[in-house]
Amino acid sequence: MRIGVAQFFHESNSFCPSMTTEEHFRADAYLTGDNLFDRWRDTDSEIAGILDVAGEDLDIELVPVIGAWSWPSGPVTDVVYVKVARAIISACLEDRLDGLLLCLHGAAVTETHLDAEGDLLDAIRHRVGRDFPIVATLDFHANVSPRMVELLDGFVGYKTYPHVDYRERGQDACRMIASIAREEIAPTIGYSHPPLLFVPQRQWTAYDPMLPIMQRAHEIEQHDDRVLVANVFGGFCYSDTPYAGFSTSVITNNNPDLAQYYADELAQMAWDNRQKFVPELLYVTDAVTQAVKASDGLTVLVDIGDNIGGGTPGDGTGALQAVLASGLPRCVAVINDPEAALECHRAGAGARLNLSIGGKVDHFHGETVSVSAQGVGLSDGIFQLEDPHSHLASIAGTRIDMGASATV
């Protein structure tokens, strides 16, 4: 069997004022042909997992189609989205494929599509028909829409946050589509989307309140052989769409009533414990006060409203302003400000200069801070991700270019 493999992966922050263009994708991972497999083969990614299974099953021939992957940021331009969609549809029609594996995020938004993955699947189905098997991997933070559920034959979501199981889920998806193509299974999907919108810091899968839901999903998978997969999705609250939020989906082998029963059961667990998902947060001034009083150890102040892993600009100044006002004697602040970094590079190592730092991208993340600075070090911002067990396990070993950087 010839199975196409394609990737359209982006977590879109609707509140970010800048768009994610083709240039952004090309700077991260925009790949065609064998380059798609070469890029991800030696990582812990979904595509690596797909390659694992195909390497063991001689009946599977994988056909690389296109891969578009970029860091979380603002909505995707329609231009790059249409290019990806056309490439996938063309491959389905021209490459004699027996099925399609899609590596999706599930929370992509474009200029004109609030449900980008749903629209993509709709466009593919319009050309290939209902009998063509399509299976997807989805991020734990996917905002799963009814249209996605209707148009996919099956899908497998990450079971961990932080995400450390990309490769395993790719393996699951590849096994599923092979079984569908061989007519060994007939997937039926149950789906529930209660009115719940959870912030990321209450979605850790190894801790309450998400842990018992994940444990129950695991029990369903392990102890009922009628179940193919039990998915729990935390959702992505910064993708401002009608389908944002928590959802569950259970896939059974030709048993739709059972699938819906289990999906509803998992969703009810979240609804019954919804108050536990409300975070207890500190005001920034209180957090800094606690840091000042800390007698030992390292204190990390995290501005969760400026989460670059969720597509924000990373130039928030709220914590920096509070730290400067407190007189805290020793601290390190990290601010994404290319303009200030380039100014430091122009001045040279060790130079003294007045800088305006942060708060330049939008009005959500504080005012620009003016400081008198002493240059300490300059860097080209190029480094290699090393930790294979981190949240970024799927791209461990990747060369990252942050651009000109400076320590002052």
Side-chain angles (χ1 to χ4, degrees):
M1 70 188 78
R2 287 170 56 83
I3 304 297
V5 179
Q7 178 189 55
F8 175 58
F9 195 97
H10 191 258
E11 188 176 63
S12 304
N13 188 322
S14 304
F15 301 97
C16 183
S18 57
M19 303 297 295
T20 303
T21 66
E22 183 175 334
E23 288 69 30
H24 291 103
F25 278 96
R26 290 192 179 277
D28 296 326
Y30 189 92
L31 306 157
T32 57
D34 290 336
N35 290 331
L36 175 61
F37 291 163
D38 293 342
R39 166 64 176 78
W40 298 104
R41 187 183 307 276
D42 295 323
T43 67
D44 282 327
S45 65
E46 305 95 308
I47 291 179
I50 292 168
L51 292 169
D52 290 340
V53 173
E56 299 169 357
D57 189 335
L58 299 180
D59 191 35
I60 300 175
E61 178 187 354
L62 296 180
V63 180
V65 178
I66 191 171
W69 183 101
S70 189
W71 295 100
S73 48
V76 178
T77 61
D78 283 341
V79 170
V80 64
Y81 163 70
V82 169
K83 280 189 176 182
V84 172
R86 285 178 174 171
I88 296 173
I89 293 170
S90 176
C92 291
L93 297 177
E94 299 173 9
D95 289 348
R96 296 177 290 106
L97 299 180
D98 299 304
L100 179 65
L101 276 170
L102 290 173
C103 298
L104 306 174
H105 183 285
V109 176
T110 77
E111 290 175 272
T112 58
H113 301 295
L114 293 178
D115 178 19
E117 286 89 354
D119 185 83
L120 173 64
L121 291 165
D122 195 35
I124 296 171
R125 280 287 180 216
H126 181 70
R127 300 303 300 275
V128 304
R130 183 66 254 187
D131 295 332
F132 183 81
I134 305 177
V135 172
T137 58
L138 294 174
D139 192 283
F140 176 77
H141 293 114
N143 293 325
V144 180
S145 70
R147 187 159 60 157
M148 292 166 62
V149 174
E150 175 189 354
L151 296 172
L152 283 166
D153 291 289
F155 50 97
V156 181
Y158 308 162
K159 299 182 183 301
T160 60
Y161 177 54
H163 314 315
V164 294
D165 62 330
Y166 306 86
R167 193 164 190 154
E168 291 88 341
R169 303 293 76 82
Q171 294 168 354
D172 291 343
C174 192
R175 293 189 187 102
M176 180 182 291
I177 198 168
S179 296
I180 294 172
R182 293 177 178 128
E183 299 184 348
E184 296 169 347
I185 59 173
T188 47
I189 306 173
Y191 165 73
S192 185
H193 185 201
L196 297 170
L197 194 66
F198 298 147
V199 289
Q201 60 270 23
R202 297 300 286 160
Q203 294 183 10
W204 306 110
T205 53
Y207 302 95
D208 285 339
M210 193 64 77
L211 176 60
I213 303 172
M214 304 306 297
Q215 289 175 326
R216 178 56 184 149
H218 179 73
E219 288 175 0
I220 291 170
E221 284 186 351
Q222 295 299 309
H223 300 303
D224 193 331
D225 57 12
R226 298 169 294 178
V227 174
L228 302 174
V229 61
N231 293 309
V232 175
F233 297 99
F236 183 60
C237 60
Y238 305 118
S239 191
D240 188 20
T241 75
Y243 311 110
F246 180 88
S247 69
T248 61
S249 50
V250 175
I251 304 176
T252 57
N253 185 14
N254 199 28
N255 195 327
D257 292 340
L258 183 69
Q260 191 60 50
Y261 174 83
Y262 279 137
D264 289 340
E265 177 191 344
L266 293 169
Q268 190 65 44
M269 290 180 68
W271 179 256
D272 291 343
N273 290 280
R274 59 191 180 277
Q275 292 302 324
K276 295 181 180 180
F277 284 92
V278 179
E280 297 179 6
L281 306 175
L282 292 173
Y283 287 103
V284 63
T285 50
D286 294 336
V288 172
T289 297
Q290 288 191 21
V292 172
K293 293 179 179 179
S295 58
D296 58 1
L298 173 68
T299 300
V300 180
L301 303 176
V302 180
D303 181 356
I304 59 168
D306 191 18
N307 169 21
I308 58 172
T312 60
D315 74 338
T317 59
L320 175 62
Q321 292 184 62
V323 167
L324 293 174
S326 73
L328 189 67
R330 298 176 62 199
C331 70
V332 174
V334 181
I335 304 287
N336 175 33
D337 191 330
E339 179 183 296
L342 287 174
E343 195 171 340
C344 292
H345 275 255
R346 285 192 292 265
R352 285 191 172 276
L353 66 169
N354 295 319
L355 292 174
S356 296
I357 300 176
K360 298 174 182 176
V361 175
D362 57 37
H363 62 278
F364 293 122
H365 300 100
E367 301 296 325
T368 300
V369 175
S370 297
V371 297
S372 177
Q374 168 75 55
V376 175
L378 302 174
S379 167
D380 59 10
I382 297 173
F383 66 97
Q384 188 171 26
L385 289 175
E386 296 179 351
D387 187 357
H389 305 295
S390 72
H391 180 67
L392 299 175
S394 69
I395 53 173
T398 299
R399 178 180 177 274
I400 300 296
D401 185 354
M402 297 287 287
S405 305
T407 304
V408 301

